[in-house]
Tab-separated table of all heavy atoms in Angstrom:
chain	number	residue	atom	x	y	z
A	41	GLY	N	76.836	85.202	81.316
A	41	GLY	CA	77.486	85.247	82.595
A	41	GLY	C	78.804	84.715	82.663
A	41	GLY	O	79.491	84.392	81.497
A	42	THR	N	79.407	84.399	83.790
A	42	THR	CA	80.725	83.796	83.871
A	42	THR	C	80.742	82.469	83.444
A	42	THR	O	81.752	82.094	82.723
A	42	THR	CB	81.192	83.707	85.381
A	42	THR	OG1	81.064	85.078	86.019
A	42	THR	CG2	82.608	83.267	85.590
A	43	ASP	N	79.765	81.651	83.669
A	43	ASP	CA	79.628	80.323	83.219
A	43	ASP	C	79.821	80.276	81.608
A	43	ASP	O	80.440	79.399	81.065
A	43	ASP	CB	78.328	79.645	83.628
A	43	ASP	CG	78.208	79.335	85.136
A	43	ASP	OD1	79.401	79.490	85.690
A	43	ASP	OD2	77.194	79.079	85.609
A	44	ASP	N	79.127	81.187	80.997
A	44	ASP	CA	79.214	81.269	79.583
A	44	ASP	C	80.570	81.624	79.007
A	44	ASP	O	81.006	81.144	78.001
A	44	ASP	CB	78.153	82.332	78.896
A	44	ASP	CG	76.767	81.937	79.331
A	44	ASP	OD1	76.473	80.642	79.492
A	44	ASP	OD2	75.863	82.763	79.302
A	45	THR	N	81.268	82.463	79.726
A	45	THR	CA	82.617	82.663	79.337
A	45	THR	C	83.530	81.522	79.378
A	45	THR	O	84.274	81.254	78.552
A	45	THR	CB	83.198	83.896	80.361
A	45	THR	OG1	82.319	84.991	80.154
A	45	THR	CG2	84.690	84.105	79.801
A	46	VAL	N	83.329	80.768	80.490
A	46	VAL	CA	84.076	79.522	80.599
A	46	VAL	C	83.679	78.484	79.468
A	46	VAL	O	84.518	77.867	78.906
A	46	VAL	CB	83.765	78.868	82.006
A	46	VAL	CG1	84.353	77.460	82.135
A	46	VAL	CG2	84.286	79.736	83.138
A	47	TRP	N	82.408	78.482	79.270
A	47	TRP	CA	81.904	77.665	78.159
A	47	TRP	C	82.532	78.067	76.875
A	47	TRP	O	82.979	77.156	76.095
A	47	TRP	CB	80.403	77.736	78.153
A	47	TRP	CG	79.773	77.020	76.835
A	47	TRP	CD1	79.134	77.598	75.897
A	47	TRP	CD2	79.585	75.704	76.729
A	47	TRP	NE1	78.666	76.659	75.022
A	47	TRP	CE2	78.930	75.422	75.544
A	47	TRP	CE3	80.133	74.383	77.403
A	47	TRP	CZ2	78.710	74.152	75.112
A	47	TRP	CZ3	79.931	73.257	76.908
A	47	TRP	CH2	79.197	73.083	75.672
A	48	ASP	N	82.663	79.221	76.510
A	48	ASP	CA	83.283	79.764	75.274
A	48	ASP	C	84.673	79.268	75.162
A	48	ASP	O	85.304	78.953	74.119
A	48	ASP	CB	83.277	81.287	75.194
A	48	ASP	CG	81.845	81.802	74.830
A	48	ASP	OD1	81.063	80.988	74.332
A	48	ASP	OD2	81.574	82.917	74.925
A	49	CYS	N	85.365	79.117	76.285
A	49	CYS	CA	86.758	78.667	76.337
A	49	CYS	C	86.796	77.191	76.206
A	49	CYS	O	87.764	76.723	75.549
A	49	CYS	CB	87.518	79.107	77.621
A	49	CYS	SG	87.621	80.860	77.850
A	50	VAL	N	85.837	76.478	76.642
A	50	VAL	CA	85.845	74.981	76.685
A	50	VAL	C	85.385	74.510	75.347
A	50	VAL	O	85.887	73.396	74.965
A	50	VAL	CB	85.018	74.461	77.861
A	50	VAL	CG1	84.829	72.986	77.797
A	50	VAL	CG2	85.668	74.773	79.230
A	51	ILE	N	84.354	75.034	74.849
A	51	ILE	CA	83.730	74.502	73.627
A	51	ILE	C	84.590	74.086	72.482
A	51	ILE	O	84.274	73.058	71.874
A	51	ILE	CB	82.587	75.423	73.032
A	51	ILE	CG1	81.669	74.656	72.033
A	51	ILE	CG2	83.175	76.657	72.597
A	51	ILE	CD1	80.907	73.622	72.614
A	52	PRO	N	85.679	74.780	72.155
A	52	PRO	CA	86.480	74.405	71.050
A	52	PRO	C	87.026	72.857	71.199
A	52	PRO	O	87.548	72.289	70.310
A	52	PRO	CB	87.656	75.403	70.845
A	52	PRO	CG	86.989	76.539	71.573
A	52	PRO	CD	86.104	76.052	72.616
A	53	TYR	N	87.109	72.400	72.449
A	53	TYR	CA	87.803	71.293	72.791
A	53	TYR	C	86.803	70.084	72.830
A	53	TYR	O	87.266	68.880	72.929
A	53	TYR	CB	88.545	71.375	74.142
A	53	TYR	CG	89.725	72.384	74.106
A	53	TYR	CD1	89.538	73.582	74.522
A	53	TYR	CD2	90.895	72.011	73.491
A	53	TYR	CE1	90.493	74.556	74.489
A	53	TYR	CE2	91.959	73.080	73.484
A	53	TYR	CZ	91.778	74.230	73.979
A	53	TYR	OH	92.733	75.218	73.971
A	54	VAL	N	85.546	70.362	72.768
A	54	VAL	CA	84.523	69.387	72.838
A	54	VAL	C	84.107	69.111	71.358
A	54	VAL	O	83.322	69.807	70.834
A	54	VAL	CB	83.272	69.804	73.596
A	54	VAL	CG1	82.249	68.717	73.729
A	54	VAL	CG2	83.641	70.229	75.083
A	55	GLN	N	84.633	68.174	70.695
A	55	GLN	CA	84.429	68.018	69.313
A	55	GLN	C	83.404	66.785	69.034
A	55	GLN	O	82.730	66.848	68.072
A	55	GLN	CB	85.848	67.424	68.635
A	55	GLN	CG	86.858	68.506	68.801
A	55	GLN	CD	86.575	69.754	68.044
A	55	GLN	OE1	85.831	69.794	67.061
A	55	GLN	NE2	87.269	70.912	68.318
A	56	ASP	N	83.255	65.793	69.861
A	56	ASP	CA	82.377	64.676	69.687
A	56	ASP	C	80.930	65.182	69.643
A	56	ASP	O	80.534	65.829	70.612
A	56	ASP	CB	82.669	63.631	70.655
A	56	ASP	CG	81.884	62.346	70.290
A	56	ASP	OD1	80.580	62.292	70.631
A	56	ASP	OD2	82.468	61.435	69.818
A	57	GLY	N	80.204	64.810	68.586
A	57	GLY	CA	78.883	65.211	68.633
A	57	GLY	C	77.883	64.716	69.740
A	57	GLY	O	77.060	65.403	70.211
A	58	ARG	N	78.264	63.578	70.184
A	58	ARG	CA	77.551	62.974	71.332
A	58	ARG	C	77.743	63.753	72.629
A	58	ARG	O	76.907	64.064	73.444
A	58	ARG	CB	77.898	61.661	71.555
A	58	ARG	CG	77.562	60.689	70.411
A	58	ARG	CD	78.141	59.292	70.481
A	58	ARG	NE	77.978	58.581	69.356
A	58	ARG	CZ	78.831	58.458	68.241
A	58	ARG	NH1	79.895	59.156	68.430
A	58	ARG	NH2	78.646	57.714	67.222
A	59	ASP	N	79.016	64.183	72.781
A	59	ASP	CA	79.357	65.073	74.011
A	59	ASP	C	78.655	66.404	73.867
A	59	ASP	O	78.181	66.940	74.942
A	59	ASP	CB	80.887	65.180	74.061
A	59	ASP	CG	81.535	63.865	74.380
A	59	ASP	OD1	80.898	62.873	74.913
A	59	ASP	OD2	82.843	63.719	74.143
A	60	ARG	N	78.819	66.985	72.745
A	60	ARG	CA	78.077	68.354	72.555
A	60	ARG	C	76.558	68.142	72.790
A	60	ARG	O	75.990	69.096	73.304
A	60	ARG	CB	78.347	68.786	71.134
A	60	ARG	CG	79.811	69.251	70.953
A	60	ARG	CD	80.128	70.477	71.644
A	60	ARG	NE	79.455	71.613	71.126
A	60	ARG	CZ	79.854	72.430	70.107
A	60	ARG	NH1	81.135	72.157	69.622
A	60	ARG	NH2	79.253	73.464	69.725
A	61	GLY	N	75.954	67.018	72.379
A	61	GLY	CA	74.515	66.896	72.562
A	61	GLY	C	74.171	66.669	73.950
A	61	GLY	O	73.153	67.280	74.465
A	62	ALA	N	75.029	66.017	74.687
A	62	ALA	CA	74.745	65.780	76.222
A	62	ALA	C	74.719	67.158	76.821
A	62	ALA	O	73.950	67.444	77.716
A	62	ALA	CB	75.727	64.906	76.743
Side-chain angles (χ1 to χ4, degrees):
T42 304
D43 289 345
D44 295 335
T45 302
V46 173
W47 173 247
D48 283 341
C49 296
V50 171
I51 190 64
Y53 299 98
V54 184
Q55 300 292 338
D56 189 279
R58 300 173 186 85
D59 294 338
R60 292 288 293 266

